[in-house]
Amino acid sequence: MIIFCLLMGVFCSPVFTEQWKASLVNSLDALVTSCVVLPCTFTQPKDNLPTSRLRGIWHLKTGKDQIVYQEDMTRILENFRGRTKLLGQLGQKNCSLEMIDIKDHDNGPFCFRIELVENANPTVNKFSFVEDCVSLKMLPEPPKPTLIPTKTVIEGHPYTITCSVTHTCPSHVPTLSWNRKDPAIIESHREIHTGIWEAQSILTFTVGEKDDHTDVTCTAQFYGKKTSSAEITLYVKRIENLNHIIIPCVVGIGTAVIFGVLCIFMVKKYKTRITELQNQDGSMWNRVSRMSRRVRSGVTGRFHSDQRRSIWSRFSRRPMGGTGDLGHTRNNEYPKSCGDQTLSKPRFPSPKSQPKSCNYKEDLDDGDDYINTADLNVYGNI
């Protein structure tokens, strides 16, 4: 009966009625010279024990005496002494281990063990979780940040770039910095998987014309002074407006108006000058006009060579004495009396219907009508 009661007491004890379990990840990345946190939680019997009655120990899987962490630092391997510490509270079932100044040979595997303490002395109740141990994968270089920009960069509009980097040391979060001095920066930190964390920085700024073809760089600095960076180049899309259409049209219209005004001014000026020349009595322009009309009317006959006279002789005719000899008489000449002057008959009659006048001016005008084609060249040269 006594033995049966003892057995029932043992099996009904809160320590043994429920199984102790530990939850760990199988593998984690660890940046050399930086730090890593091995996440760990455990379950215990129904009655939670205080932290003072629990003692957490981390050791290598190769042996329980190869202690990586314990409250008594004298029992820790020299290679890990001062580089490990327990995060969280065992009373809250948190057995996570922080390891700093990672060496390239700190690959583990690392296992967790818990002991029950009675009056600061360990009891025979010890639980090792050698089936669930953590191995570390050494990273000689830090991971590069990931940049997620807004699709379109439009001038004058706000633009957002998200920079994020993953790590395995939440106790020392990497620092994210930008190569811009914009104040609108939002930072966040979250766990994306068990033991894997993400640090994030969101940059927002208003895009200007000066930002076209410029680089935006995000730099991550990890614990242990190692850094990595990523950058993107901005290609700014300018705001569409009608300036590229309005300005050339205004310039074209203005040029056309100025040119038209100048043309009108020149035409009026030359018309006025032509009118002045046409209004001059006996001017050269009148003579040229008469010759042009005669040529257009089809007068192409040639005058007799003896009747060809210089223009100057026609303009310089003056009556001398009582009689005037206006040229050598031929068989076709006959004396004609007009006062005391003797005139020669022209080879071709004048087209004018009015009778010849004895007036010198009218006679001079009539003489102009008989200018031959040789005289035209003279006027043309003039």
Side-chain angles (χ1 to χ4, degrees):
M1 181 60 80
I2 297 175
I3 297 174
F4 176 78
C5 292
L6 290 175
L7 291 174
M8 289 297 295
V10 169
F11 286 106
C12 293
S13 174
V15 175
F16 296 101
T17 53
E18 293 184 9
Q19 187 178 3
W20 288 66
K21 294 181 180 180
S23 177
L24 295 89
V25 294
N26 294 328
S27 177
L28 277 180
D29 293 337
L31 178 61
V32 177
T33 72
S34 185
C35 62
V36 66
V37 173
L38 309 182
C40 173
T41 59
F42 65 92
T43 59
Q44 63 181 23
K46 181 168 55 176
D47 294 336
N48 293 335
L49 299 176
T51 303
S52 58
R53 291 198 56 191
L54 299 173
R55 178 177 296 173
I57 300 173
W58 283 85
H59 61 86
L60 294 176
K61 190 174 183 179
T62 54
K64 295 180 181 180
D65 56 341
Q66 295 180 337
I67 297 176
V68 173
Y69 168 79
Q70 190 182 19
E71 293 180 355
D72 187 0
M73 294 187 62
T74 59
R75 298 183 60 185
I76 299 176
L77 294 175
E78 186 176 355
N79 184 36
F80 293 94
R81 194 173 298 170
R83 297 196 296 122
T84 58
K85 73 174 182 178
L86 199 65
L87 298 179
Q89 301 293 324
L90 293 176
Q92 299 176 357
K93 303 177 183 181
N94 188 346
C95 52
S96 299
L97 178 71
E98 179 193 69
M99 186 181 300
I100 62 173
D101 192 18
I102 299 297
K103 310 296 181 182
D104 56 2
H105 55 268
D106 294 340
N107 52 355
F110 303 98
C111 305
F112 176 66
R113 185 176 72 188
I114 192 168
E115 297 179 350
L116 298 181
V117 179
E118 192 73 35
N119 297 326
N121 295 319
T123 64
V124 294
N125 298 321
K126 299 178 181 180
F127 305 94
S128 295
F129 308 98
V130 292
E131 294 82 6
D132 299 316
C133 298
V134 184
S135 298
L136 298 181
K137 179 182 177 181
M138 298 297 129
L139 299 179
E141 297 297 332
K144 287 189 176 182
T146 300
L147 293 178
I148 304 176
T150 306
K151 291 184 178 180
T152 306
V153 188
I154 303 176
E155 180 183 357
H157 288 224
Y159 186 71
T160 301
I161 305 177
T162 302
C163 176
S164 60
V165 65
T166 57
H167 64 98
T168 55
C169 188
S171 57
H172 299 279
V173 181
T175 303
L176 298 176
S177 59
W178 301 88
N179 63 336
R180 297 179 61 96
K181 301 300 181 181
D182 297 278
I185 297 177
I186 301 175
E187 295 182 347
S188 62
H189 187 236
R190 65 190 181 98
E191 187 177 17
I192 55 178
H193 298 291
T194 304
I196 301 176
W197 296 75
E198 181 186 64
Q200 189 178 84
S201 178
I202 301 175
L203 172 68
T204 303
F205 62 95
T206 301
V207 179
E209 184 179 356
K210 59 182 179 59
D211 295 318
D212 191 22
H213 290 82
T214 58
D215 295 331
V216 178
T217 304
C218 176
T219 302
Q221 183 173 0
F222 296 82
Y223 180 82
K225 305 301 182 183
K226 284 192 174 183
T227 61
S228 63
S229 61
E231 66 179 18
I232 61 172
T233 302
L234 301 180
Y235 298 96
V236 179
K237 182 179 181 181
R238 298 185 178 180
I239 299 176
E240 295 182 359
N241 52 46
L242 299 179
N243 291 338
H244 63 288
I245 298 176
I246 296 175
I247 293 176
C249 290
V250 171
V251 172
I253 294 174
T255 304
V257 169
I258 294 173
F259 181 76
V261 171
L262 289 176
C263 290
I264 294 173
F265 175 77
M266 295 298 294
V267 169
K268 287 186 176 180
K269 179 179 178 181
Y270 281 102
K271 281 186 176 180
T272 303
R273 181 60 179 166
I274 291 172
T275 303
E276 292 176 354
L277 292 175
Q278 289 177 343
N279 292 335
Q280 293 179 0
D281 186 22
S283 65
M284 187 181 299
W285 183 263
N286 292 332
R287 293 185 177 89
V288 173
S289 298
R290 286 195 296 273
M291 286 187 296
S292 300
R293 288 194 298 270
R294 182 173 290 276
V295 171
R296 286 193 298 269
S297 65
V299 179
T300 58
R302 299 181 63 185
F303 294 101
H304 195 274
S305 60
D306 292 339
Q307 288 182 325
R308 294 178 182 175
R309 300 172 183 174
S310 64
I311 296 175
W312 179 256
S313 65
R314 294 175 182 271
F315 283 105
S316 61
R317 289 184 301 177
R318 295 292 186 274
M320 298 180 60
T323 62
D325 186 8
L326 299 178
H328 300 284
T329 60
R330 304 289 183 181
N331 294 331
N332 60 345
E333 294 177 352
Y334 67 94
K336 183 178 181 180
S337 174
C338 184
D340 295 333
Q341 299 180 2
T342 301
L343 301 175
S344 61
K345 181 181 177 180
R347 186 179 181 89
F348 296 100
S350 172
K352 295 184 178 181
S353 61
Q354 67 271 20
K356 295 283 191 304
S357 174
C358 293
N359 185 275
Y360 177 77
K361 180 176 180 59
E362 293 179 357
D363 185 48
L364 182 61
D365 293 337
D366 292 336
D368 293 339
D369 293 334
Y370 304 107
I371 297 175
N372 58 22
T373 58
D375 296 335
L376 295 176
N377 293 331
V378 176
Y379 282 104
N381 293 334
I382 293 175

